[in-house]
């Protein structure tokens, strides 16, 4: 049996990845706030203190079974609020940090904790972004979280080198896709996001891939012999 655990798979790239792994014969478990699919479990990543007990309980049940392969995709993320730091609401800042950073780390660490001893092939892929490497005005929270998660993944990869049954840890940059997040970007006011015209141009010029196209590339990376700790761009 093969297991796929995905966060933020209700729509967009996460859903496309989940569907491809389902077709490939994996038992798929998807965690999200809306939980719209038959394989979904409701979790609100903006509230780590409420999310964690439910996540741990579900992982504990899954960990009682023997698996031939385990793949994990940490995808849950939010771009909002966009805009200068001086204009951001403090509670909105906290919610963004909880979704993009705190809960993402909790999600990956809980999976590793529950499945560390399983003697099978295990891969954790954190869906990153070009924003992890480049600063965008108005995206201070998103850029910071993605950069921090890349460091987390690289560090856990080093830790896993001493484990008898290690996880392969990967940062995966999906590139630019035509998703709800991109719609939010294009609808941003220039005062909040000065680079908005560039992203509008990319949409109008047909440069955006579909989530389904990118999911094909992500699944290939999950099945590759990539070095743990690597940062891999889809279709690089």
């Amino acid at each position: 049996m093969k297991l796929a655990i995905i966060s933020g798979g209700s729509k967009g790239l996460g859903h496309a990845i989940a569907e491809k792994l389902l077709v490939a014969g994996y038992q798929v478990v998807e965690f999200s706030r809306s939980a719209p699919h038959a394989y979904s479990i409701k979790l609100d990543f903006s509230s780590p203190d409420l999310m964690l007990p439910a996540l741990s309980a579900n992982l504990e049940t899954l960990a009682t079974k023997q698996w031939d392969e385990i793949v994990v995709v940490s995808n849950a993320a939010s771009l909002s609020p966009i805009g200068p730091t001086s204009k951001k609401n403090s509670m909105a800042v906290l919610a963004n940090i909880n979704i993009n950073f705190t809960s993402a780390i909790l999600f990956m660490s809980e999976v590793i904790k529950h499945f560390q001893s399983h003697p099978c092939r295990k891969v954790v892929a954190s869906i990153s972004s070009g924003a992890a490497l480049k600063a965008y005005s108005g995206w201070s929270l998103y850029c910071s979280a993605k950069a921090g998660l890349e460091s987390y993944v690289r560090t856990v990869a080093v830790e896993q080198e001493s484990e008898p049954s290690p996880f392969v840890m990967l940062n995966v940059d999906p590139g630019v896709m035509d998703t709800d997040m991109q719609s939010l970007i294009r609808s941003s006011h220039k005062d909040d996001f000065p680079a908005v015209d560039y992203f509008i141009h990319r949409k109008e010029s047909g440069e955006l891939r579909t989530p389904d196209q990118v999911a094909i590339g992500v699944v290939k990376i999950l099945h590759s012999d990539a070095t743990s700790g690597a940062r891999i761009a889809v279709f690089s």
Side-chain angles (χ1 to χ4, degrees):
M1 295 190 298
K2 299 184 293 183
L3 174 64
I5 304 172
I6 301 171
S7 72
S10 62
K11 57 185 178 180
L13 177 60
H15 181 220
I17 293 170
E19 289 295 310
K20 294 195 179 308
L21 291 172
L22 192 66
V23 170
Y26 288 78
Q27 177 178 331
V28 175
V29 180
E30 183 270 324
F31 295 98
S32 60
R33 184 171 59 182
S34 59
H37 311 299
Y39 47 76
S40 296
I41 296 173
K42 191 176 183 66
L43 282 184
D44 186 353
F45 285 84
S46 68
S47 300
D49 54 335
L50 300 177
M51 177 274 288
L52 186 57
L55 174 64
S56 296
N58 281 282
L59 293 178
E60 186 172 346
T61 299
L62 291 168
T64 61
K65 302 178 182 179
Q66 296 298 315
W67 302 99
D68 299 315
E69 183 179 10
I70 301 169
V71 297
V72 182
V73 180
S74 178
N75 177 67
S78 174
L79 192 57
S80 181
I82 298 173
T85 297
S86 61
K87 296 182 179 180
K88 287 185 170 70
N89 174 274
S90 297
M91 290 300 100
V93 169
L94 182 59
N96 181 286
I97 293 170
N98 283 341
I99 294 170
N100 289 336
F101 191 66
T102 305
S103 289
I105 287 179
L106 286 172
F107 173 73
M108 289 185 277
S109 65
E110 284 297 306
V111 170
I112 292 168
K113 183 191 305 181
H114 282 85
F115 294 96
Q116 185 69 78
S117 63
H118 281 58
C120 61
R121 182 177 185 271
K122 298 174 293 191
V123 181
V124 172
S126 176
I127 301 301
S128 189
S129 167
L133 307 180
K134 180 179 178 179
Y136 286 93
S137 178
W139 288 9
S140 58
L141 299 174
Y142 188 74
C143 292
S144 298
K146 290 302 184 183
L149 288 177
E150 289 213 2
S151 181
Y152 170 81
V153 167
R154 289 193 302 269
T155 305
V156 175
V158 174
E159 294 175 354
Q160 288 293 306
E161 291 174 1
S162 62
E163 292 289 345
S165 301
F167 278 85
V168 173
M169 304 293 298
L170 301 174
N171 284 304
V172 177
D173 182 356
V176 184
M177 294 171 288
D178 197 3
T179 61
D180 288 351
M181 186 177 287
Q182 280 292 313
S183 297
L184 174 62
I185 292 168
R186 293 192 299 271
S187 67
S188 300
H189 194 281
K190 206 162 188 175
D191 290 344
D192 291 329
F193 185 52
V196 63
D197 288 344
Y198 170 71
F199 284 82
I200 291 173
H201 170 74
R202 296 199 73 172
K203 167 67 172 178
E204 293 175 345
S205 61
E207 296 179 30
L208 305 185
R209 299 186 181 100
T210 67
D212 193 67
Q213 290 172 321
V214 176
I216 293 171
V218 173
V219 171
K220 286 182 179 178
I221 291 169
L222 291 172
H223 293 151
S224 73
D225 58 355
T227 302
S228 188
R231 184 183 200 276
I232 306 175
V234 176
F235 306 128
S236 58

